[in-house]
Amino acid sequence: MTTASSQIPTMSGDEVVKKLNPLYPDIKTPLLHSNAFQLLIATVLSAQCTDEQVNRVTPVLFAKYPTSQAMARAPIRSLEKIVKSTGFFHVKSRRIREISRLLEEKFGGKVPENMEELLLLPGVGRKTANIVLSAAFDKIEGIAVDTHVFRLSRRIGLSEQNTPEKIETDLMKITPKEEWPRLTLVLILHGRSICFARGPECERCVLSDHCLYYATIYTKK
């Protein structure tokens, strides 16, 4: 008897990218930025917040504090007021100021260009580091696994793991390295537009023919 787990992965990451590419714009990240520092800060602010809301906040933030030097000296109350609408603003305001301080003290005001050093910054995990490395420096060291990538990878049948780190490892195994950044982006966009956390619109999905959820749950409703 064939079990659900024996069907994983249901397709390769390359197949996912090829099927979803025509549906979504060829961009590196929807977060507005003009340099690596801005992208790093925007990505930190995007935790538990939509990119659209972050994009409303960051122009104001970077107009007032355009560099790590300026942000490291920013009053917490000022930062909190600006980033409040992104949620968890007490934590985020302190985090982006601390990141800025460490950039100045340890990295000469420059964002590190490797995973090891990026992970030394407070609140920066592999997801954030992968986004910054890919979009700011065109460096590929891994696959950014956010909540959408996590959910879709398990739902589609690309991985049955239950942590972002383990899912990242599975995705890296089934996807050509040059497609790692693109896989992250198309899964995020697909999760926002079709494969919703509640009520995925499977009849509209171009992945349904190879989707574990569609085959084992949706069609049985």
Side-chain angles (χ1 to χ4, degrees):
M1 179 178 178
T2 301
T3 63
S5 61
S6 68
Q7 301 170 33
I8 295 174
T10 53
M11 65 184 99
S12 69
D14 190 42
E15 290 175 303
V16 173
V17 170
K18 287 179 179 177
K19 287 178 177 290
L20 295 182
N21 255 342
L23 304 180
Y24 304 110
D26 188 15
I27 57 175
K28 291 183 177 181
T29 173
L31 292 171
L32 298 178
H33 66 282
S34 59
N35 55 52
F37 171 69
Q38 291 186 3
L39 177 59
L40 173 60
I41 297 302
T43 306
V44 170
L45 293 177
S46 71
Q48 304 297 312
C49 182
T50 66
D51 292 341
E52 290 79 11
Q53 184 57 37
V54 174
N55 287 340
R56 295 187 188 102
V57 167
T58 49
V60 178
L61 178 66
F62 297 138
K64 193 164 187 178
Y65 306 111
T67 64
S68 56
Q69 183 181 43
M71 196 169 292
R73 298 173 178 173
I76 283 296
R77 292 293 178 86
S78 176
L79 292 176
E80 287 180 342
K81 183 177 180 181
I82 295 172
V83 308
K84 185 174 182 178
S85 62
T86 67
F88 303 99
F89 65 96
H90 292 301
V91 173
K92 289 181 179 180
S93 59
R94 284 163 174 75
R95 186 160 288 168
I96 62 176
R97 190 172 75 168
E98 181 65 9
I99 287 173
S100 299
R101 185 184 67 80
L102 288 177
L103 289 178
E104 286 297 310
E105 291 182 359
K106 293 188 176 183
F107 302 105
K110 295 182 179 180
V111 175
E113 296 187 30
N114 62 78
M115 177 70 70
E116 183 179 2
E117 291 182 332
L118 279 169
L119 294 179
L120 296 176
L121 300 173
V124 175
R126 287 190 61 86
K127 183 201 81 168
T128 296
N130 277 319
I131 290 172
V132 172
L133 289 171
S134 172
F137 301 117
D138 286 321
K139 292 186 176 182
I140 303 174
E141 293 194 26
I143 294 175
V145 179
D146 76 339
T147 54
H148 296 290
V149 177
F150 183 92
R151 182 179 77 253
L152 268 66
S153 295
R154 288 173 53 84
R155 179 179 281 171
I156 295 168
L158 304 180
S159 173
E160 58 184 347
Q161 298 297 334
N162 56 14
T163 69
E165 294 79 13
K166 290 180 179 179
I167 287 178
E168 180 185 10
T169 298
D170 280 354
L171 295 179
M172 289 164 67
K173 290 177 181 177
I174 63 171
T175 311
K177 186 173 183 179
E178 64 271 16
E179 295 288 7
W180 289 357
R182 186 64 183 159
L183 178 64
T184 291
L185 185 60
V186 295
L187 286 178
I188 290 173
L189 295 175
H190 200 58
R192 291 174 177 170
S193 61
I194 301 279
C195 194
F196 305 112
R198 297 182 180 181
E201 299 183 2
C202 298
E203 298 298 338
R204 295 176 53 215
C205 181
V206 297
L207 302 177
S208 291
D209 289 346
H210 296 88
C211 176
L212 186 63
Y213 174 84
Y214 184 78
T216 60
I217 298 178
Y218 185 84
T219 56
K220 302 297 191 295
K221 292 181 179 181

